Amino acid sequence: MDFKHLLDFLSRLSKNNNKDWFDTHKKEYESLRKEWVDFVGESIRAFGAFDSAMLELDPKKCIFRINRDVRFSKNKDPYKNNFGMSLSSGGKASDFCGYYLHIQPGECFIAGGAYQPMPDKLAAIRQEIDYNFAAFHKIVLDKNFVAQFGSLSGDKLVRPPKGYDIDNPAVEYLKHKGFIAYRKVDDKTLFDKYFMKELITSGKTMKPLIDFLNQAISN
């Protein structure tokens, strides 16, 4: 994957976010999209070595349309200024938690977990954390997890969710509305020949969290 070309294209697109410009550069986009699909396929095979559920995935179903849905948005730019890869059992539209790579000039990141789980899934995750807090706490305090992702990310409630006491030892995690391992990636990191290795390392580190979350929503 020529990430320099991709970032340059996305940077130009963000400055010329209109149909005329995009139509003029559509062949360039289609070429980059093909490279991206190939990169996602390579990632699926690499992630499949430690998470066999990934091997069932179709690369084309793990990426996102470049067109934005502007019907309910004040921002009427017709195109996204990023490429994304979402790897989760059943594909990006499934309820299962998984791995995510975001490519956008100056805002690249690697992440994984549950971003905005539906209310029933969120309740199930909170219940699992409450029941098995020792196991969950061990995952998010693991030295490799902390070294790569710091603390668990995600929006939080100000007060404990209904049904949980403020004295609950897991209360700060139960306040979460999302459960995300997140780390920002410098654009230049993408150009390194070892970037795939770094991506895999992050995936392996967040896998225990993803397994825990998927177990919760599968019960």
Side-chain angles (χ1 to χ4, degrees), residues 1 20 41 51 63 93-94 114 128 157 163-165 167 188 192:
M1 179 78 221
D20 287 343
D51 189 340
I63 65 174
S94 78
E128 190 71 17
L157 298 170
Y164 295 98
D165 191 85
D167 295 324
K188 292 181 180 179
D192 193 298

Side-chain angles (χ1 to χ4, degrees), residues 21-160:
W21 187 91
F22 188 82
D23 286 348
T24 301
H25 296 81
K26 193 167 185 179
K27 287 187 178 179
E28 183 181 7
Y29 163 71
E30 289 175 345
S31 176
L32 286 166
R33 183 183 183 279
K34 183 180 183 302
E35 283 189 48
W36 182 241
V37 170
D38 291 342
F39 175 83
V40 172
E42 181 184 354
S43 300
I44 287 171
R45 292 187 291 274
F47 276 65
F50 64 87
D51 189 340
S52 60
M54 299 301 102
L55 295 174
E56 68 190 32
L57 299 177
D58 177 351
K60 291 182 179 179
K61 294 182 179 180
C62 298
I63 65 174
F64 300 86
R65 287 165 46 88
I66 194 72
N67 302 81
R68 295 182 64 249
D69 184 352
V70 300
R71 292 174 297 171
F72 308 107
S73 174
K74 292 182 180 180
N75 178 2
K76 298 302 181 182
D77 287 346
Y79 306 107
K80 298 171 186 172
N81 58 356
N82 62 78
F83 273 30
M85 173 182 77
S86 179
L87 306 182
S88 59
S89 181
K92 67 178 186 288
S94 78
D95 289 331
F96 286 105
C97 306
Y99 315 89
Y100 181 75
L101 172 64
H102 185 89
I103 305 297
Q104 181 177 348
E107 298 184 38
C108 300
F109 63 85
I110 298 168
Y115 174 51
Q116 292 179 331
M118 297 298 288
D120 60 327
K121 306 299 182 185
L122 177 57
I125 291 171
R126 284 174 172 159
Q127 179 175 282
E128 190 71 17
I129 291 173
D130 185 36
Y131 286 175
N132 294 298
F133 182 51
F136 180 81
H137 211 206
K138 183 178 179 181
I139 291 169
V140 296
L141 292 185
D142 176 81
K143 64 178 182 180
N144 291 326
F145 187 94
V146 173
Q148 288 195 50
F149 306 112
S151 58
L152 190 70
S153 299
D155 291 339
K156 296 177 67 175
L157 298 170
V158 175
R159 297 191 56 78

